[in-house]
Amino acid sequence: MVYSARAAVATSHPLASVTAIDMLRRGGNAVDAAIAAIAVQCVVEPHQTGIGGDCFALYMPKGATAPIGLSGAGRAPAAANPAWFAAHGITELALDSPHSVTVPGAVAGWCRLLADHGRLSLGDVLEPAIRCARDGYVVQPVVGLDWSMEAPILAGHKMAASVFLPEGRPIPAGAVHRQPLLAATLDILAREGHDGFYAGPVAADMVECLRAHGGLHSLQDFAEARADYVSAISTRYKGYDILELPPSGQGLAALMMLNVLDGMDLSDPAVSEADRIHILAELAKLAYHHRDHLFGDPDFAATPVRELLSPDWAQFARGRIDMSRAAAPIVWPEVTQRDTVYACVIDEDGNAISFINSLFHSFGSRIMAPRTGVLFHNRGAQFSLVAGHPNAIAGGKRPLHTLIPGMVMKDGACIAPFGVMGGPYQAAGHAELLSNILDLGMDVQQALDAPRSFAYRGVLNVERQPDAGLIENLRARGHDARWSPTMIGGGQIIWRDPDTGVLAAASDPRKDGCALGL
């Protein structure tokens, strides 16, 4: 854990953390620092994020009583709808299909947030990322490990493989990697702003690439790209206000879990580790079941936010938890209806930002535009092809998103910007992280370090712990429990002491990053 009396940053990559500190030293604020850090991560963690992805943020200016929510979620092409896919015999949106690619929204989000709330120019903020892409960067250990593990998925994608598998092999940790095409595109973006990406030669290259792969995208779809300001949703947990972005993100699921946990005492010594994991698993199954059935783009479907954050839903959920056995999730009868980077910054003036950017799965769709080096995300794979579903694909619609920046407030002041990576795990991860801090009394670094568990799609994965009988205990309750074959997620957090103003910053040991302070 890093303490600071002035400013602090935390990201999943050391170059991104240093970049954020440098932006603050150059007179930038939290917005400048976060976007500069994320832009660097789009180069140095290419499997996790990129300018062909989406972004979301919660920004709390000093003196404000509520954060500014930003949705940089891309929209489906205007021509996309379930009837078209049915007519063409397409029954699923494959992860490497052009139909999994919505118009990238990250750049629109960066440009809008920076223009409205930053201090530095886009050129200043993007300069470190351009330098990394042009001159090269050293691949860090966790990035190198992920790269080697994901190399097989790139092999059949000629353009992406030429960049990320030169000579047919992944770039190992300790080696230098360059992306000159991406550097040139970032340079255009730095000079021309929003329109340098969504119009002109860059947009033309992206559209031509996607259409060549069978996509429905048009230049008009890109020209109409925009980021939107949205109002945060919140709940009260152990005396703190926890804020998330509304659907089409899954932050509502995190708040639903916290609402239930707020009526329970996980700090009770009588609650064993197996009990705690069982409770979190049952809540995750229930909250995610509601997510999959009810969440969608609010411009197209009305997610029952108020009902799902009500005491009645929390009471229903608590009543579904049987401590002796696992239960199948159901949708509350009263309602009728993976790969990411994160950065948080609190600057010297007290401005705080929680920022997240992603390609979704590792290396996204693996489709790369040939002249611009833009690697596209595959967030559209989250769409449903079932007509009438709240998350059914439609022209101009945003898919269900797993990306959720979080923020803790108390008495109208920001206490902590925080985020947890790991695709679907993020909502459960928010609940688990905050429970570690506010129920179990861990400091922020301990809370990130602690072993994790996640119940999803019928499997309960648990990170290894000294308790050899833990898995057997959970299996006896009916869980398909197993030791997780990989680390679960990642995360960063900065916690401000409301009395002293001292900042405690932490970065997840499952990633290469670090926390730094001024």
Side-chain angles (χ1 to χ4, degrees):
M1 187 162 59
V2 172
Y3 289 108
S4 175
R6 295 170 57 195
V9 306
T11 83
S12 59
H13 196 285
L15 281 177
S17 295
V18 170
T19 295
I21 287 290
D22 286 345
M23 287 295 134
L24 296 179
R25 286 175 170 154
R26 292 173 62 175
N29 64 9
V31 168
D32 303 305
I35 295 175
I38 289 289
V40 165
Q41 289 175 281
C42 286
V43 178
V44 302
E45 294 189 74
H47 62 305
Q48 301 275 23
T49 193
I51 60 174
D54 288 345
C55 75
F56 295 85
L58 283 168
Y59 174 54
M60 187 76 173
K62 181 183 180 181
T65 57
I68 296 163
L70 177 87
S71 171
R75 291 167 170 79
N81 60 74
W84 185 92
F85 291 101
H88 289 78
I90 297 173
T91 58
E92 66 172 346
L93 298 173
L95 296 177
D96 61 352
S97 162
H99 305 305
S100 73
V101 181
T102 58
V103 176
V107 168
W110 299 359
C111 291
R112 184 163 192 186
L113 194 61
L114 190 68
D116 293 346
H117 299 285
R119 292 178 188 161
L120 303 179
S121 71
L122 185 60
D124 290 335
V125 167
L126 294 183
E127 190 276 331
I130 294 170
R131 186 174 63 248
C132 286
R134 182 191 63 226
D135 301 338
Y137 62 93
V138 179
V139 175
Q140 297 297 312
V142 174
V143 172
L145 175 63
D146 292 345
W147 208 320
S148 65
M149 292 173 61
E150 302 295 345
I153 67 173
L154 291 169
H157 300 270
K158 185 177 180 180
M159 182 61 200
S162 70
V163 174
F164 300 118
L165 299 178
E167 301 179 359
R169 296 188 298 274
I171 307 297
V176 175
H177 185 241
R178 295 176 178 83
Q179 298 185 60
L181 290 176
L182 181 59
T185 299
L186 287 168
D187 188 59
I188 293 172
L189 175 58
R191 288 185 281 107
E192 301 181 16
H194 180 281
D195 289 348
F197 187 80
Y198 293 104
V202 174
D205 182 49
M206 291 191 286
V207 171
E208 289 171 15
C209 173
L210 290 168
R211 292 192 72 87
H213 282 78
L216 302 173
H217 308 74
S218 70
L219 287 172
Q220 187 67 24
D221 293 325
F222 275 74
E224 294 176 352
R226 69 186 189 278
D228 298 315
Y229 288 123
V230 296
S231 297
I233 56 177
S234 67
T235 197
R236 190 84 170 161
Y237 187 66
K238 309 299 182 183
Y240 292 84
D241 295 309
I242 313 302
L243 285 81
E244 302 276 358
L245 292 179
S248 56
Q250 64 171 345
L252 174 59
L255 299 183
M256 292 164 66
M257 292 180 65
L258 290 170
N259 264 354
V260 179
L261 291 175
D262 197 44
M264 307 175 77
D265 185 9
L266 296 191
S267 65
D268 186 340
V271 178
S272 68
E273 179 67 2
D275 290 338
R276 190 182 71 88
I277 291 174
H278 173 74
I279 291 169
L280 291 173
E282 293 300 280
L283 287 182
K285 289 191 301 184
L286 199 56
Y288 281 62
H289 192 66
H290 283 73
R291 181 201 73 170
D292 292 343
H293 283 78
L294 300 173
F295 292 16
D297 185 338
D299 291 344
F300 290 78
T303 303
V305 175
R306 182 172 58 84
E307 292 89 342
L308 295 178
L309 289 181
S310 70
D312 291 339
W313 187 88
Q315 182 177 354
F316 154 78
R318 275 192 291 272
R320 293 284 300 171
I321 299 176
D322 182 333
M323 292 304 296
S324 64
R325 64 181 180 87
I330 64 170
V331 173
W332 188 33
E334 297 301 317
V335 292
T336 56
Q337 316 241 297
R338 161 165 182 147
D339 287 33
T340 301
V341 299
Y342 173 82
C344 51
V345 181
I346 298 180
D347 63 28
E348 292 183 79
D349 294 328
N351 304 303
I353 191 166
S354 179
F355 202 106
I356 198 161
N357 209 99
S358 177
L359 289 175
F360 195 29
H361 286 77
S362 190
F363 291 105
S365 65
R366 281 81 84 178
I367 299 172
M368 176 177 277
R371 296 190 299 276
T372 56
V374 176
L375 183 67
F376 296 107
H377 69 152
N378 55 0
R379 187 64 59 176
Q382 290 283 94
F383 275 126
S384 170
L385 291 179
V386 177
H389 189 283
N391 191 40
I393 193 168
K397 188 173 183 178
R398 296 166 291 190
L400 171 68
H401 259 273
T402 58
L403 300 183
I404 49 171
M407 188 168 285
V408 179
M409 293 179 61
K410 190 169 187 177
D411 300 328
C414 176
I415 298 296
F418 72 95
V420 176
M421 297 164 275
Y425 171 70
Q426 291 178 55
H430 280 206
E432 189 168 20
L433 174 65
L434 293 176
S435 179
N436 285 346
I437 297 169
L438 299 177
D439 290 319
L440 303 186
M442 298 181 186
D443 67 39
V444 290
Q445 189 64 60
Q446 291 170 334
L448 287 174
D449 293 351
R452 294 175 175 151
S453 62
F454 183 38
Y456 190 63
R457 302 279 167 86
V459 176
L460 174 55
N461 278 303
V462 182
E463 289 186 334
R464 287 200 172 271
Q465 301 185 32
D467 184 354
L470 182 61
I471 293 296
E472 287 68 26
N473 185 311
L474 294 168
R475 286 174 178 167
R477 304 185 198 213
H479 293 286
D480 182 5
R482 58 190 73 173
W483 295 121
S484 180
T486 60
M487 298 177 289
I488 300 175
Q492 281 78 35
I493 184 171
I494 303 172
W495 193 280
R496 184 180 65 84
D497 186 308
D499 297 321
T500 66
V502 170
L503 305 173
S507 187
D508 202 302
R510 297 166 184 82
K511 301 292 181 179
D512 290 312
C514 59
L516 297 173
L518 279 178

